[in-house]
Amino acid sequence: MSAAASCLLTEDQCLCSICLDVFTDPVAIPCGHNFCKTCITIHWDKHVTYQCPNCKEVFDSRPQLRVNTFISEVATQFRQSAQQKASSSSSEQQVSKPGEVPCEICTGTKLKALKSCLVCLESYCETHLQPHLTKSGLKRHQLIDPVEDLEDRMCPKHDKLLELFCKTDQTCVCMLCTVLDHQTHKVVPLKEEYEGKKAELGETEAEIQQMIQKRRLKIEEIKHSVELSKEDADRETAEGVQVFTALKESVERSQAELIDTIKEKQRKIEKQAEGFIKELQQEISVLKKRRTEVEQLSQSEDHLHLLQSCTSLNAVPPTKDWTGVSVRPPSYEGTVVRAVSQLEETLSKQMKKLLAEAELKRVQQSAVDLTLDLDTAHPALILSDDGKQVSCGDVRKKLPNNPERFDCCPGVLAKQSFSSGRFYYEVQVKGKTDWDLGVVRESINRKGKITVTPQNGYWTICLRNENEYVACVDPSVRLSLKSPPQKVGVFVDYEEGLVSFYDVDAAALISSFTGCCFTEKLYPFFSPCPNYAGKNSAPLIISPVNHTE
C-alpha cells in the first residue's frame, strides 16, 4: 500500500509551501491545502487573520489541526528518498565555508546556498532550490544571489517585504507604509530607485576612477620630478667634486711649492756651511802639521839644525781671515704670506674658470635643435639644404615679399619658436668679420631699416669690423673680450627674462640681457651681414651642442 500511495503523489505535493521541505506531521485545513503542523501554527501565530497561505481563504475561527496519516506516510518515504538523493549529490555541491551563505534547509552539514528568496526569506542550496524552479506557485517568488540577514528586508513595523522606496524620507518601505506613514510622500518601486542610484553610482565610480587616474598621473609626475632632481643633484655633485678637486689640487700644489722653496733655502745654507767647514778643517790640518814640526824642532839638541830650520818654521802658515765670515740663516719672513697671496690669486682665476665651465654645462642642458626658416630669409641670403648654415651672397634673389621676410636687414629666423621655459643653441662664427646673433619677438618689424634694440623686440649682440663686439642696446655698449670667440652659445630663460651669450671654447660669459619682459613667442635670430666683396663670406653655422667635459 505504501508503494501505491507514493505513486499517487508527486514530489511537489509532498512539500510544504511554507518551509518548502517535505512534510513533517502534515495537516489539512478546511480549504484542502496541506502544511506541516508546526509551519501553519507559527504562520497563524504571527498573523491576526486565519488565512490559507496558498489560496488566501479566510476562516472565521482557527481550524483544528489533525495529522493526515496517509500524506504523512507518503512524505516519510519522500523524505527518505530525498535524503538519499541529497547525500549522493552533496559530494558534488560545495559545503558552506566561513563567510559564505549556508542553506537554511539543510540539516547536519550545511551546503553553500545558490539563491535567496525575498518572499520566503530563506536561502537554498541546489537541492532545496528545486521547488522554486519547478513549482508554479513558487516560480513567482523573487530570487536573488545568496545574502544573509534576510529578515532585514522585512518592514520591522508591518512585517511586510520592503519593496518600495520613499524618495521624500530616503528610506525603504513596504506597501502598508505607503498607506499609513508615507501617504503624501513620493514613493517609487525599489527597482526604479535602484536603477537611478545605480546610474549615480556609475557616475560616482567614473568620477572616482578619474580622480584615481589623476592622482596616479600626479604620482608619476612627482616621481619624474624626483628623478630629474636626482639627475640634477648627481650632476651638481659631480661638478662640485670636480671644482673642489681642482681647487684642492691647486692648494696642494702651492703647499708643495712653498715647502720646496723653504727646503731649497735650507739646502743652500747647509751647502755654504759645509764649504766653510771643509775649508776650516783643511786649514786645521795644515796648522796641526806645522805645530808638530815646531814641537819637534823645539826639542832638538842640534844647535845648527834648529837655527837653520827655525827661519822656515818660525812663521805661521798663510790662512784665511775668518773674522768676517759667518753663516746667516735665510729670512723666511713673508714667505707664507706671499705663497698664500699667490694661491689666492690662482684660486680666484681658477674658480672663475671652473664656475664659468659649470655654468656653461648647466645651460647646455637646455640645448634645442634649430633649423633656419627660408620664408623669413632676406633675398640675398644663401641657406644650406639642411637649414643649418646661412651666408650672404652678391645677388638678391626674386622671392615673394611675404610679411615674414626681411627685405632690408640681411637676417633670417629659426623655424622653432619658444614661449616658455629655457632653450640654448650654439652658432659657429669662425672666419667672419661681421655678424648679429640673438633672439627676437614674433611681432618685430621686418621691413625697411631696423633699429636693433630690446625696445624694438631684439635682444642681440654683434661683431663689427673684425674686433668690435657690441651689445645692441640704446646706446650700444662695447664689449671687452680677451679673445675672439669661434663659437657663440645663446641661452634664454623665458620666465626669468634672461638672454645670455657665451664664448663656448673659452667657457666664458660674453654678455647678458636681464630683467626682460617676454610676452610673445621668441625666435632665434641670425644675420651673417653683407659679405663685403668676399671678406665676410664665411657662413654662420648652427652647431650641434657638445656638452663640455
Side-chain angles (χ1 to χ4, degrees):
M1 185 173 99
S2 297
S6 63
C7 295
L8 296 176
L9 296 175
T10 64
E11 184 175 356
D12 287 350
Q13 291 173 318
C14 291
L15 298 179
C16 171
S17 60
I18 296 178
C19 68
L20 302 180
D21 202 353
V22 179
F23 288 122
T24 301
D25 296 332
V27 294
I29 60 175
C31 62
H33 291 110
N34 298 292
F35 304 96
C36 295
K37 184 176 182 180
T38 302
C39 292
I40 192 63
T41 300
I42 294 173
H43 178 75
W44 282 339
D45 287 344
K46 289 182 178 179
H47 296 80
V48 177
T49 57
Y50 304 122
Q51 186 181 43
C52 174
N54 286 355
C55 66
K56 308 303 180 184
E57 181 178 345
V58 178
F59 308 112
D60 295 334
S61 59
R62 186 166 185 158
Q64 291 184 354
L65 302 177
R66 292 186 179 87
V67 175
N68 188 323
T69 55
F70 173 75
I71 295 178
S72 178
E73 183 180 346
V74 175
T76 300
Q77 291 185 4
F78 272 116
R79 184 180 294 106
Q80 293 173 351
S81 175
Q83 288 175 349
Q84 292 175 356
K85 183 178 179 182
S87 61
S88 63
S89 63
S90 62
S91 59
E92 299 176 3
Q93 298 184 52
Q94 296 182 1
V95 176
S96 176
K97 299 176 182 178
E100 294 179 339
V101 179
C103 174
E104 297 181 49
I105 307 302
C106 288
T107 57
T109 301
K110 295 284 188 178
L111 298 181
K112 179 182 177 181
L114 294 183
K115 293 290 180 180
S116 295
C117 177
L118 293 180
V119 178
C120 303
L121 299 180
E122 288 185 326
S123 299
Y124 306 105
C125 64
E126 181 179 357
T127 300
H128 295 114
L129 181 64
Q130 291 304 313
H132 278 79
L133 303 178
T134 57
K135 195 171 183 180
S136 59
L138 299 177
K139 284 182 179 180
R140 292 191 295 270
H141 290 191
Q142 185 177 355
L143 299 176
I144 61 173
D145 289 334
V147 293
E148 295 180 323
D149 302 326
L150 284 168
E151 292 80 4
D152 293 342
R153 297 174 179 270
M154 299 295 290
C155 176
K157 188 173 182 179
H158 304 110
D159 199 25
K160 297 289 184 180
L161 183 65
L162 296 171
E163 52 187 338
L164 300 171
F165 186 81
C166 176
K167 297 181 74 69
T168 305
D169 292 340
Q170 290 292 300
T171 185
C172 297
V173 296
C174 67
M175 291 295 293
L176 284 178
C177 289
T178 61
V179 177
L180 301 176
D181 303 323
H182 300 261
Q183 190 172 9
T184 59
H185 295 179
K186 183 178 181 180
V187 178
V188 296
L190 276 183
K191 186 177 181 180
E192 180 181 330
E193 185 65 18
Y194 162 82
E195 296 294 341
K197 292 296 183 184
K198 187 175 182 181
E200 289 179 9
L201 290 174
E203 294 176 0
T204 302
E205 182 184 5
E207 182 180 355
I208 292 173
Q209 183 60 34
Q210 188 176 12
M211 292 173 68
I212 292 172
Q213 186 62 24
K214 285 182 179 179
R215 280 149 182 79
R216 283 176 177 167
L217 293 174
K218 180 58 69 174
I219 289 173
E220 294 303 317
E221 178 186 332
I222 292 172
K223 286 182 178 179
H224 182 61
S225 297
V226 171
E227 289 175 1
L228 292 178
S229 177
K230 187 178 185 303
E231 291 175 2
D232 290 343
D234 292 342
R235 184 169 56 252
E236 288 297 319
T237 300
E239 292 177 1
V241 169
Q242 182 180 358
V243 169
F244 281 96
T245 299
L247 295 177
K248 179 182 176 183
E249 289 174 353
S250 293
V251 172
E252 291 174 346
R253 191 162 48 248
S254 296
Q255 176 184 315
E257 290 174 358
L258 172 64
I259 294 173
D260 287 344
T261 300
I262 296 172
K263 285 183 177 180
E264 181 62 27
K265 286 185 177 182
Q266 181 63 21
R267 277 195 298 269
K268 286 182 180 180
I269 290 297
E270 290 176 356
K271 186 175 181 180
Q272 184 186 37
E274 287 175 1
F276 288 157
I277 292 171
K278 184 177 181 180
E279 192 175 349
L280 286 167
Q281 286 175 340
Q282 289 174 349
E283 289 186 354
I284 289 171
S285 296
V286 172
L287 291 171
K288 280 183 177 181
K289 182 179 179 182
R290 178 61 58 88
R291 186 188 68 182
T292 301
E293 291 175 348
V294 170
E295 184 181 356
Q296 290 176 350
L297 183 61
S298 64
Q299 294 175 358
S300 175
E301 298 290 339
D302 187 345
H303 299 165
L304 179 64
H305 174 67
L306 185 147
L307 291 174
Q308 288 177 341
S309 301
C310 184
T311 303
S312 59
L313 295 177
N314 196 32
V316 176
T319 55
K320 182 177 180 179
D321 184 6
W322 292 93
T323 305
V325 176
S326 65
V327 176
R328 297 178 181 177
S331 174
Y332 296 106
E333 185 178 352
T335 304
V336 175
V337 173
R338 287 191 297 273
V340 171
S341 178
Q342 185 178 357
L343 173 61
E344 184 179 5
E345 183 179 350
T346 302
L347 289 179
S348 178
K349 292 179 181 178
Q350 193 168 11
M351 282 178 65
K352 288 180 181 178
K353 183 175 183 296
L354 292 172
L355 290 174
E357 290 176 352
E359 173 65 13
L360 183 59
K361 285 183 183 179
R362 183 184 68 82
V363 300
Q364 284 179 330
Q365 300 300 319
S366 303
V368 294
D369 185 22
L370 299 180
T371 307
L372 298 173
D373 187 356
L374 183 62
D375 291 337
T376 65
H378 182 277
L381 296 185
I382 302 171
L383 275 62
S384 62
D385 292 339
D386 63 358
K388 299 295 184 182
Q389 301 185 29
V390 58
S391 59
C392 190
D394 296 322
V395 180
R396 185 184 177 100
K397 298 184 289 294
K398 292 183 179 180
L399 296 173
N401 190 22
N402 51 291
E404 296 83 10
R405 190 180 306 283
F406 292 94
D407 65 351
C408 184
C409 169
V412 61
L413 303 182
K415 290 181 180 179
Q416 293 76 17
S417 64
F418 304 88
S419 56
S420 64
R422 304 171 178 174
F423 63 94
Y424 172 85
Y425 59 94
E426 294 178 353
V427 184
Q428 180 179 306
V429 296
K430 183 179 180 181
K432 296 194 65 61
T433 61
D434 293 73
W435 50 258
D436 290 72
L437 289 174
V439 294
V440 300
R441 64 183 177 221
E442 186 177 26
S443 63
I444 56 166
N445 176 31
R446 310 182 191 194
K447 307 298 181 182
K449 185 178 180 180
I450 299 171
T451 303
V452 183
T453 63
Q455 289 77 12
N456 293 329
Y458 288 79
W459 292 269
T460 62
I461 62 171
C462 67
L463 168 65
R464 295 289 182 265
N465 305 320
E466 295 189 45
N467 59 5
E468 186 180 340
Y469 294 91
V470 176
C472 301
V473 293
D474 188 17
S476 61
V477 175
R478 187 161 184 170
L479 304 173
S480 178
L481 277 66
K482 291 184 178 180
S483 60
Q486 303 298 301
K487 187 182 291 184
V488 176
V490 183
F491 173 72
V492 177
D493 189 325
Y494 194 97
E495 282 73 22
E496 288 294 325
L498 173 67
V499 182
S500 295
F501 300 86
Y502 294 87
D503 180 340
V504 177
D505 296 324
L509 178 66
I510 297 175
S511 180
S512 289
F513 293 91
T514 59
C516 309
C517 183
F518 301 132
T519 58
E520 302 179 22
K521 291 180 180 179
L522 296 180
Y523 287 85
F525 171 77
F526 309 82
S527 175
C529 295
N531 63 17
Y532 301 118
K535 186 179 180 181
N536 188 40
S537 60
L540 292 175
I541 304 174
I542 300 173
S543 305
V545 176
N546 295 320
H547 299 281
T548 55
E549 297 297 333

